[in-house]
Amino acid sequence: MPSAVDSVFEIAFWFSDRALNDNEYLQPIKLQYLMFLAQSYFAVAYEGKRLVPAIFVAEVVGPIEPSIYQTFTRGRPSLDVPINLNDDVRSFVDSIWRRFGHHSADYLAKLCRRNPAYKAALKRGRRAEIDLAEMRDSFVASTETPAVDSVVKPKVMRSHTGRAVEVKAAEEPVDWDLANMPLGPV
């Protein structure tokens, strides 16, 4: 199944940029936990689909994505990676940031290390792959982590009268043929 973004770096840079915009220092290990949570919750919210084309492995410190871990250990790398997130993905990672970004790395470490998928992978050995289906299932069944509907909130806007309305992407684009539309009553 294809991922929602082209590169794992798009989401890592998005979190890094968001932290910078919020005047928050984003430790490399905290980035790992946010990425793991984002991948897991995305799989829950989007029926097993991957957010990023990456695998997470079990290390003693918690779940990590090896490429991002190696690249960000000395700070944000100097890579030219375009961040082209569609509105749904941008809204999704924004929800993850709003729910978990203010927590400490220690808090997120405890949360991620209690995850059954992580524990099962660590039992198989250090650097054992954490299966995406196991990640999804463990977040669905867990009482240790917030439910997906309390993390990923639908995009809500206000109508001209102030009433809350849920905003969704159109199923199919509407093709308005303005040249052939009637000008008066039909």
Side-chain angles (χ1 to χ4, degrees), residues 7 11-12 16-17 26 34 50 60 62 69 73 76 113 123 129 134-135 147 184:
S7 165
I11 300 300
S16 183
D17 290 346
L26 183 59
L34 290 170
R50 287 182 186 277
V60 175
Y69 186 75
T73 54
R76 183 182 170 132
R113 282 187 254 166
K123 256 186 194 170
E129 183 177 340
E134 289 178 10
M135 289 164 64

Side-chain angles (χ1 to χ4, degrees), residues 1-3 9 20 27-28 33 41 52 66 84 86 91 95 102 111 124 155 161 164 168-169 185:
M1 185 176 289
S3 62
F9 288 99
L20 188 62
Q27 300 135 301
Y33 303 141
Y41 276 108
V52 294
N84 297 318
N86 67 37
S91 176
S95 293
H102 67 281
L111 184 69
R124 293 191 298 269
K155 194 173 193 178
T161 62
K168 296 180 184 174

Side-chain angles (χ1 to χ4, degrees), residues 64-118:
I64 66 164
E65 197 292 318
S67 298
I68 296 297
Y69 186 75
Q70 289 296 322
T71 308
F72 277 77
T73 54
R74 292 181 192 89
R76 183 182 170 132
S78 215
L79 297 173
D80 186 21
V81 176
I83 301 174
N84 297 318
L85 307 182
N86 67 37
D87 289 341
D88 290 338
V89 170
R90 189 175 304 278
S91 176
F92 176 83
V93 291
D94 187 61
S95 293
I96 295 295
W97 177 259
R98 282 185 281 114
R99 180 63 176 90
F100 298 108
H102 67 281
H103 288 293
S104 70
D106 288 338
Y107 174 86
L108 295 178
K110 289 174 187 169
L111 184 69
C112 292
R113 282 187 254 166
R114 286 192 305 244
N115 182 270
Y118 163 75

